[in-house]
Amino acid sequence: MKIIIGGDHSSVALKEAIGDYIKKNYKFKVKDIGTHKNDSVDYPDYGYKIAQEVAKGSADRGIVICGTGIGISIAANKVKGIRAAMCYDAYTAIMSRKHNDANVLAIGARTTLLENALIIVDLWLKTEFEGGRHQKRVELLNSYPSR
Ligand code: RB5
C-alpha cells in the first residue's frame, strides 16, 4: 500500500512521526509532500493535492494534517471520490473506515497528542470497510458532483 501524507506548518513534527511509524510498522511506501518547514503555508494546497493523488490512484490512501484537521479535510473533500474523515479518537478512526470507507484521514496537530495520533493512524490503516448497507451510502457520496 502507498500512503501519501502532508500538511501545513503546524503539521511538521507530527507528520514526520506518523510517516516514520507507518514505515516501521507496516512497511508501506510513504510519500511525504511537505511542508517540511515551520514557515507558514496554506493548508488547502496540501489537502487538495493529496486528495488529487488518491483520487487518481497514485496513492492508495492519504493522511492530511493541519492545526485542527478541519480546514485540510474540507480541502480534501473538494475532490471527487475523496472521503476525508477528521478523526480525533479511536472510535472515529474505526467508524470512518467501517461505515464511510474513508480514503483520506485528517488529524489535528494542535488538538491530538502524538500517542493518540498513532492509535488513530493504526486503527484507520487496519480497519476494513464493512460494505453491506454502507456500500450504497458510499456510492451516494461518490455520486454527488463536487460543485
Ligand atoms: C493555521 O494556523 C491553521 O489555521 C490551520 O493549521 C488549520 O487549523 C485550519 O483548519
Side-chain angles (χ1 to χ4, degrees):
M1 179 133 77
K2 187 168 171 190
I3 310 284
I4 184 165
I5 184 167
D8 71 2
H9 48 282
S10 71
S11 78
V12 176
L14 180 62
K15 175 167 63 59
E16 281 169 15
I18 288 173
D20 289 345
Y21 178 82
I22 294 172
K23 281 186 259 181
K24 184 175 163 210
N25 292 286
Y26 287 86
K27 316 281 185 228
F28 292 164
K29 281 190 183 158
V30 178
K31 182 179 174 189
D32 182 344
I33 67 156
T35 187
H36 302 288
K37 298 190 208 159
N38 295 323
D39 303 326
S40 184
V41 294
D42 298 320
Y43 61 82
D45 292 337
Y46 292 85
Y48 193 72
K49 168 122 177 57
I50 285 175
Q52 284 181 308
E53 296 293 323
V54 174
K56 74 181 184 199
S58 55
D60 301 292
R61 304 248 200 112
I63 299 178
V64 296
I65 306 169
C66 68
T68 58
I70 295 171
I72 203 158
S73 66
I74 293 171
N77 278 316
K78 294 281 180 188
V79 177
K80 191 164 175 59
I82 292 304
R83 295 172 302 283
M86 205 283 277
C87 298
Y88 50 87
D89 61 7
Y91 185 72
T92 51
I94 291 169
M95 297 313 285
S96 77
R97 290 287 313 133
K98 277 190 171 181
H99 286 192
N100 313 118
D101 197 16
N103 48 13
V104 172
L105 167 66
I107 300 182
R110 294 176 178 150
T111 55
T112 317
L113 294 173
L114 172 61
E115 188 186 341
N116 290 339
L118 297 181
I119 291 169
I120 289 166
V121 167
D122 218 18
L123 291 168
W124 189 77
L125 290 174
K126 281 180 179 156
T127 305
E128 295 295 329
F129 177 50
E130 259 180 22
R133 69 186 191 278
H134 303 291
Q135 183 66 43
K136 179 189 168 202
R137 295 163 185 168
V138 166
E139 281 165 18
L140 279 170
L141 288 173
N142 290 340
S143 75
Y144 302 139
S146 294
R147 288 197 176 270

